[in-house]
């Protein structure tokens, strides 16, 4: 494949790092003494071809009466409602009660219902019993093991990239990428400091996740990057910003599926603009990974443009039902980010049981239990059919306006047996508070019928308008 300008810049930056003796390598520790056992990982995973009873525990939750009461009356809670072994609850007056309120969860990010999957739990338990929790240190020191490598390879394959770098969280992954990008400019100036045109120009969607924003802010402090925020998904705005920018090193960074709005980045238009301007495309596929695309490869797979994404950030904390983050990219970029991404370098590696569990999750959903993806998209269609609201993903953002309205709607749903939290500032602007309803493969059509009935008791579904894909509602 022909090398892009960005390939050349990252190569140049790598040689500069080498000359400065700042290039860093992973030195995997082999914690499994039995090589055959490791190779067998993946083949021994038990899989299921339809929903099981235990799947429901990923969406059926209980809260104590005290928590219920505090939530309904907006009484702050520090989480100290003590629950004893036998289910006795001490409320704030010291009274004990055995009552719990069962709720159906519609606010998690466990899109495929994997958080309760026994095979994934067993993978974690087996690794924990054999090796303990692990990691002993950061990945560059001694925390990186053959379990981490196995997971990285599996994720690189899923994302159709040369390689992958595991990070402690998705938040840390975005921070590492942004900070590393800022570093590129500081390593490549002709003079001592980068002139304006030698800096990196980062174009960021206005609704990008906080971890991207914070990463950019950190990179900005080094004075090596210039930031241009474009209106949410507005490609003509992005085009005009790109066309008037004289800096050569351009980067566009966007969420793929927006976490609070449920709409997709305009992938096809982004690919066209990338061809026109040669920018580096960084995609945060936190919500699309495992959920979108035939193989669960994410939003780029769904839009058939995986090759046009240069760096794909993902998380294992959502559809994989575990936690941890990753950066799928070329080998060059991996080497650069692991040498310069401070949130990767200076944080303890993912624990071994989590790496084992995430590997099981990735193998199960990407390759085996494909019915889960079918189920979640069927639930998206159910919601649409029941409400007439055009939604494009399992994230349904019902914007109600003020904070009080969002809290009122959330309380109504709580009383009706649903866990749907109100999303307020600083997550969203103060005039666009909302209910964020998320669907899961573990929900049934019947669950959706009940939810939409309850929803119509607090929101006028008949007058909902649509603006991009989030929906504006009247109470
Ligand atoms: C779009 C997006 N990116 C990154 C993250 C951070 O991922 P993690 O929870 O693994 O830190 C999140 C989590 O909320 C997210 O929604």
């Amino acid at each position: 494949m022909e090398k892009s300008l960005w390939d050349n810049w990252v190569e140049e930056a790598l040689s500069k790092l080498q000359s400065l003796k700042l290039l860093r390598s992973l030195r995997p520790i082999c914690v499994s003494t039995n090589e055959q056992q490791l190779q067998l990982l993946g083949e021994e995973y038990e899989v299921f071809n339809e929903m099981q009873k235990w799947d429901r525990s990923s969406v059926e939750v209980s809260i104590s009466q005290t928590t219920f009461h505090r939530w309904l009356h907006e009484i702050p809670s520090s989480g100290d409602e003590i629950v004893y072994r036998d289910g006795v609850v001490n409320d704030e007056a010291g009274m004990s009660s055995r009552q719990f309120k069962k709720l159906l969860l519609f606010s998690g990010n466990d899109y495929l219902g994997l958080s309760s999957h026994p095979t994934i739990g067993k993978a974690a338990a087996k690794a924990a019993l054999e090796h303990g929790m692990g990691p002993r240190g950061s990945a560059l020191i001694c925390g990186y093991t053959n379990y981490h490598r196995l997971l990285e390879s599996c994720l690189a394959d899923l994302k159709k990239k040369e390689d992958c770098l595991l990070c402690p969280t998705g938040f840390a992954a975005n921070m590492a990428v942004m900070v590393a990008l800022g570093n590129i400019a500081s390593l490549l100036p002709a003079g001592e400091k980068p002139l304006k045109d030698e800096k990196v120009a980062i174009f960021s969607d206005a609704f990008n996740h906080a971890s991207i924003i914070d990463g950019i802010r950190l990179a900005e402090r080094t004075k090596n990057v210039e930031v241009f925020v474009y209106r949410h998904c507005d490609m003509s705005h992005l085009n005009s910003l790109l066309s008037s920018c004289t800096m050569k090193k351009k980067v566009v960074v966007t969420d793929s599926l927006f976490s609070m709005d449920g709409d997709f980045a305009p992938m096809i238009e982004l690919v066209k603009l990338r061809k026109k301007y040669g920018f580096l495309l960084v995609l945060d596929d936190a919500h699309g990974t495992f959920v979108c695309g035939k193989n669960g490869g994410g939003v780029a797979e769904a839009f058939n443009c995986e090759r046009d994404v240069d760096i794909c950030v993902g998380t294992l904390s959502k559809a994989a039902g575990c936690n941890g983050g990753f950066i799928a990219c070329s080998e060059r970029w991996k080497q650069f980010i692991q040498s310069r991404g401070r949130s990767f370098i200076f944080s303890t590696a993912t624990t071994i049981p989590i790496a084992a569990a995430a590997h099981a999750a990735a193998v199960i959903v990407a390759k085996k239990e494909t019915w889960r993806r079918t189920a979640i998209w069927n639930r998206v269609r159910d919601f649409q059919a029941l409400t007439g609201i055009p939604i494009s993903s399992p994230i349904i953002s019902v914007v109600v306006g003020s904070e009080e309205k969002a809290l009122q709607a959330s309380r109504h749903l709580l009383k009706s047996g649903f866990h749907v939290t109100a999303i307020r500032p600083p997550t969203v602007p103060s005039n666009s508070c909302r209910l964020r309803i998320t669907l899961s493969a573990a929900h049934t059509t019947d669950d959706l019928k009940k939810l939409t009935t309850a929803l119509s008791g607090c929101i006028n579904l008949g007058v909902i308008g649509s603006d991009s894909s989030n929906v504006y509602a009247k109470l």
Side-chain angles (χ1 to χ4, degrees):
M1 226 171 57
E2 210 185 311
K3 268 207 232 160
S4 69
L5 276 173
W6 267 108
D7 289 334
N8 291 331
W9 287 323
V10 72
E11 253 176 35
E12 249 183 84
L14 283 171
S15 3
K16 190 76 187 276
L17 280 186
Q18 188 153 29
S19 68
L20 294 168
K21 298 197 181 347
L22 287 173
L23 211 53
R24 295 291 174 261
S25 288
L26 294 159
R27 303 278 181 233
I29 285 180
C30 192
V31 290
S32 179
T33 45
N34 184 345
E35 288 215 0
Q36 216 184 356
Q37 201 181 354
L38 250 185
Q39 276 161 12
L40 281 176
L41 262 182
E43 280 158 38
E44 63 190 33
Y45 296 145
E46 190 184 0
V47 291
F48 305 85
N49 55 14
E50 59 186 359
M51 200 197 291
Q52 306 292 312
K53 217 171 156 208
W54 42 258
D55 270 309
R56 292 292 289 170
S57 59
S58 72
V59 290
E60 290 174 351
V61 295
S62 296
I63 61 172
S64 74
Q65 281 295 348
T66 311
T67 305
F68 179 68
H69 173 80
R70 287 185 184 178
W71 188 343
L72 267 191
H73 299 282
E74 282 303 311
I75 301 168
S77 167
S78 56
D80 60 352
E81 302 94 321
I82 305 155
V83 181
Y84 291 113
R85 239 180 324 136
D86 59 356
V88 177
V89 177
N90 270 4
D91 67 15
E92 62 262 52
M95 305 281 286
S96 65
S97 95
R98 284 171 188 276
Q99 287 174 327
F100 292 93
K101 177 100 181 151
K102 284 200 167 144
L103 298 174
L104 204 47
L105 190 69
F106 273 98
S107 53
N109 295 319
D110 178 20
Y111 302 113
L112 299 176
L114 289 185
S115 67
S116 58
H117 200 298
T119 306
I120 296 170
K122 275 183 201 155
K126 186 167 179 283
L129 287 173
E130 284 174 15
H131 313 291
M133 294 306 286
R136 306 186 187 103
S138 64
L140 290 180
I141 304 288
C142 62
Y144 184 85
T145 69
N146 39 358
Y147 281 86
H148 298 82
R149 182 62 212 150
L150 192 67
L151 175 56
E152 284 180 348
S153 311
C154 175
L155 294 169
D157 287 350
L158 179 76
K159 293 288 184 185
K160 305 244 168 39
K161 292 282 167 271
E162 262 177 21
D163 216 328
C164 176
L165 184 69
L166 276 185
C167 290
T169 60
F171 202 106
N174 273 326
M175 297 280 281
V177 172
M178 293 302 133
V179 166
L181 282 171
N183 251 266
I184 288 263
S186 71
L187 290 165
L188 302 180
E192 231 172 58
K193 277 194 173 165
L195 302 171
K196 186 164 190 279
D197 281 1
E198 289 174 321
K199 291 184 181 181
V200 173
I202 300 183
F203 300 82
S204 174
D205 187 288
F207 287 9
N208 273 345
H209 189 256
S211 51
I212 298 177
I213 297 170
D214 286 5
I216 292 176
R217 283 181 183 152
L218 259 186
E220 236 181 336
R221 275 181 63 104
T222 61
K223 305 208 186 319
N224 295 318
V225 306
E226 291 268 324
V227 184
F228 303 86
V229 177
Y230 59 91
R231 287 189 293 272
H232 177 52
C233 288
D234 185 337
M235 292 297 100
S236 58
H237 189 209
L238 175 60
N239 185 32
S240 81
L241 290 174
L242 284 162
S243 68
S244 54
C245 174
T246 55
M247 287 175 252
K248 285 201 194 99
K249 299 185 190 73
K250 296 181 175 68
V251 177
V252 172
V253 56
T254 178
D255 281 18
S256 57
L257 171 51
F258 285 84
S259 55
M260 290 300 142
D261 294 80
D263 54 343
F264 289 100
M267 296 303 297
I268 306 300
E269 288 88 339
L270 278 167
V271 167
K272 280 190 197 146
L273 289 178
R274 178 177 174 271
K275 287 213 167 81
K276 185 170 167 191
Y277 294 101
F279 55 73
L280 188 88
L281 180 56
V282 179
L283 198 66
D284 176 357
D285 205 17
H287 295 271
T289 303
F290 302 119
V291 175
C292 301
K294 191 164 169 284
N295 303 302
V299 172
E301 187 196 343
F303 284 86
N304 197 19
C305 61
E306 284 158 302
R307 282 171 181 278
D308 300 286
V309 175
D310 299 285
I311 297 180
C312 184
V313 173
T315 173
L316 301 161
S317 65
K318 306 197 190 299
C322 301
N323 70 13
F326 65 90
I327 303 162
C329 54
S330 66
E331 283 171 1
R332 290 184 197 98
W333 272 112
K334 174 175 176 169
Q335 221 185 357
F336 189 75
I337 296 165
Q338 79 191 20
S339 301
R340 296 277 83 191
R342 293 168 62 86
S343 53
F344 162 79
I345 301 170
F346 296 105
S347 197
T348 301
T350 307
T351 65
I352 293 173
I354 290 287
H359 179 255
V363 170
I364 287 170
V365 293
K367 303 210 172 110
K368 301 191 170 165
E369 295 189 7
T370 51
W371 63 268
R372 289 181 184 275
R373 262 190 301 281
T374 311
I376 192 167
W377 290 103
N378 282 344
R379 297 297 80 80
V380 171
R381 276 185 278 279
D382 284 345
F383 188 91
Q384 243 168 325
L386 287 161
T387 60
I389 300 172
I391 56 166
S392 49
S393 80
I395 301 173
I396 304 155
S397 178
V398 183
V399 180
V400 294
S402 73
E403 194 159 340
E404 189 37 47
K405 280 182 178 172
L407 289 170
Q408 195 185 323
S410 166
R411 283 195 295 263
H412 174 85
L413 290 177
L414 179 67
K415 280 191 262 177
S416 317
F418 299 96
H419 189 297
V420 178
T421 32
I423 306 291
R424 305 177 270 167
T427 312
V428 293
S430 57
N431 58 350
S432 75
C433 296
R434 63 195 66 187
L435 294 178
R436 177 179 182 264
I437 299 167
T438 49
L439 306 180
S440 156
H443 286 134
T444 61
T445 304
D446 199 44
D447 293 337
L448 287 189
K449 282 186 187 152
K450 289 181 185 146
L451 173 80
T452 51
T453 305
L455 207 52
S456 59
C458 62
I459 279 165
N460 189 349
L461 295 175
V463 298
I464 271 183
S466 167
D467 178 3
S468 53
S469 90
N470 54 24
V471 286
Y472 289 79
K474 282 217 167 99
L475 289 183

